[in-house]
Amino acid sequence: MPPSADFPMLRLTKKADYGLMALKYLAEHPEATALSAKDIAEAYHIPAQLLAKILQRLAKVGIVKSHAGMNGGYSLLKDPRRVSAFEVIFAIDGPLFITSCFTHEGNCDLTNSCTIKEPLARVNETISNVLKNIHISDLVEEGRSRTVRELITIRTTSGQKVLAGEATGTN
Amino acid sequence: MPPSADFPMLRLTKKADYGLMALKYLAEHPEATALSAKDIAEAYHIPAQLLAKILQRLAKVGIVKSHAGMNGGYSLLKDPRRVSAFEVIFAIDGPLFITSCFTHEGNCDLTNSCTIKEPLARVNETISNVLKNIHISDLVEEGRSRTVRELITIRTTSGQKVLAGEATGTN
DNA sequence: AAGTATACGACTCCTGGAGTCCGACTTACA
DNA sequence: TGTAAGTCGGACTCCAGGAGTCGTATACTT
């Protein structure tokens, strides 16, 4: 079915990815007083200057602390178990909405179309809640154990229980 | 926090929106043998030609049937209660992945970064499952009753129960 | 045969993500 | 106290891809 582009759509921005990666790296190295954007960038092979800008944003909202000058860099300001993926993504990319025409108050230009988007707004909140339940400490633990895999479970009121991770067929 | 753009990020494409809207409209008018793309487009004030292309895609995967010629148009081919939002979005936009570097097999160019993305892949599957549990019949019912609101529930294994729709604070 | 609709490729427009560059400022250390 | 190494942050370029249009071929109804 993919026409030419291989897959994308509804994806997280790379910046958000990089931000989460950097925070994971910081959480994995609590002994260091400060890690430079360059160091982290090299560890993951991502552009250093871009990562620097991302970390600056995370510093602005108080997730990390910036240390200027020689041997400077960034360090975690908050407990990794208290920082959710949601706030990281929010800090970097701003509020995320699955629908295209929502303003902050949920306003819409089309009256008719809004009725369709109401259920999608629920999906949006569902996604938000899932992201709020994942913290960067979980990212660190993942790779050794599988804690996150069992962490999230979806149940419908119809009794259908779907463990996140088992797709029932991709079409 | 939003720099200049008001909000977006991680949103559904307009095409997918339009597709869901059109299907809802068709589901609301089961008496009509066929509704033209132009009619539907005018009802929602969306570009007719664009909607036509979307409906063509939906016709290709067998969700709707196209009737050429005079008084032609499109009609639902499947039971609205059997068509999930997931397959609609999939048909229009292709597979959706929250992470940026996933191929169909889940391949990645960076070895280190992949460890971070594993938990996000679970989030991705969670979203997919939520969308699979929403059908266009739900879109029709929404607006009169609130069935969808209570339809989706998220539970974490920690016992935390979060009803989709009550955000615990947007930051 | 005429009229109306779909079918679909090719095309343009333009937003916004991704990344770079550079100047200013800050700090550690010799 | 000067300098190297770092952050800070605006301005900039590049370009993929979403959004929408156009034109033509085709198919079907009356």
Side-chain angles (χ1 to χ4, degrees):
Chain A
M1 172 88 304
S4 61
D6 256 340
F7 28 86
M9 226 54 40
L10 187 72
R11 66 160 186 273
L12 218 51
T13 60
K14 279 193 176 180
K15 292 179 185 177
D17 266 348
Y18 293 163
L20 290 170
M21 289 159 63
L23 289 175
K24 184 208 174 190
Y25 193 81
L26 288 175
E28 282 175 338
H29 299 81
E31 72 283 0
T33 51
L35 293 171
S36 72
K38 196 183 156 207
D39 289 341
I40 304 173
E42 283 176 354
Y44 290 125
H45 306 101
I46 59 181
Q49 303 219 36
L50 182 57
L51 181 59
K53 310 202 72 161
I54 294 165
L55 286 167
Q56 285 162 28
R57 284 200 178 185
L58 294 179
K60 241 183 178 174
V61 297
I63 294 177
V64 300
K65 188 183 187 329
S66 66
H67 305 262
M70 247 181 108
N71 299 323
Y74 298 88
S75 62
L76 279 178
L77 197 56
K78 298 174 70 176
D79 182 355
R81 296 182 302 169
R82 293 264 174 277
V83 182
S84 70
F86 180 86
E87 45 185 318
V88 174
I89 295 167
F90 185 89
I92 295 173
D93 285 329
L96 49 92
F97 287 122
I98 198 173
T99 47
S100 46
C101 79
F102 270 129
T103 64
H104 334 109
E105 281 85 32
N107 205 1
C108 186
D109 47 341
L110 306 177
T111 350
N112 275 332
S113 63
C114 268
T115 61
I116 301 99
K117 283 161 188 170
E118 281 173 24
L120 290 184
R122 314 256 170 267
V123 175
N124 189 75
E125 287 163 13
T126 302
I127 297 170
S128 298
N129 286 329
V130 171
L131 291 176
K132 280 174 187 167
N133 282 316
I134 292 188
H135 304 84
I136 47 179
S137 55
D138 298 326
L139 302 182
V140 177
E141 285 165 21
E142 177 84 2
R144 310 175 200 172
S145 66
R146 298 284 178 68
T147 51
V148 183
R149 177 171 297 171
E150 284 88 29
L151 198 69
I152 306 161
T153 309
I154 295 190
R155 290 165 204 256
T156 64
T157 48
S158 59
Q160 205 176 351
K161 179 167 66 176
V162 184
L163 182 66
E166 24 183 73
T168 6
T170 320
N171 194 7
Chain B
M1 172 90 302
S4 61
D6 256 340
F7 27 89
M9 226 52 41
L10 186 73
R11 66 163 184 273
L12 219 50
T13 61
K14 278 193 177 180
K15 292 179 185 176
D17 266 348
Y18 295 163
L20 289 171
M21 289 159 63
L23 289 176
K24 184 206 176 192
Y25 193 80
L26 288 174
E28 282 175 339
H29 299 82
E31 73 282 1
T33 50
L35 292 171
S36 73
K38 196 183 157 207
D39 290 341
I40 305 173
E42 283 175 355
Y44 290 125
H45 306 102
I46 57 182
Q49 304 218 37
L50 182 56
L51 181 60
K53 309 198 70 162
I54 294 165
L55 286 167
Q56 284 161 28
R57 284 199 179 185
L58 294 179
K60 241 183 178 174
V61 298
I63 294 177
V64 300
K65 189 181 186 328
S66 66
H67 305 264
M70 249 180 105
N71 299 323
Y74 297 88
S75 62
L76 279 178
L77 196 56
K78 298 174 71 175
D79 183 355
R81 297 181 304 169
R82 293 265 174 276
V83 181
S84 70
F86 181 87
E87 46 185 317
V88 175
I89 295 167
F90 185 90
I92 296 173
D93 284 330
L96 50 91
F97 287 121
I98 198 174
T99 46
S100 47
C101 81
F102 269 130
T103 65
H104 333 110
E105 282 86 29
N107 205 2
C108 185
D109 46 342
L110 305 178
T111 350
N112 276 331
S113 63
C114 268
T115 62
I116 301 99
K117 284 162 188 170
E118 280 173 25
L120 291 183
R122 313 259 170 264
V123 175
N124 188 75
E125 287 163 13
T126 301
I127 296 170
S128 298
N129 286 329
V130 171
L131 291 174
K132 280 174 187 167
N133 281 317
I134 292 189
H135 304 84
I136 48 179
S137 55
D138 299 325
L139 301 181
V140 177
E141 284 165 22
E142 177 84 2
R144 309 172 199 172
S145 65
R146 300 280 179 68
T147 51
V148 183
R149 178 172 296 172
E150 284 88 29
L151 198 69
I152 307 160
T153 309
I154 296 190
R155 292 165 203 254
T156 64
T157 50
S158 59
Q160 206 175 351
K161 179 166 65 177
V162 184
L163 184 65
E166 23 183 74
T168 6
T170 318
N171 193 7

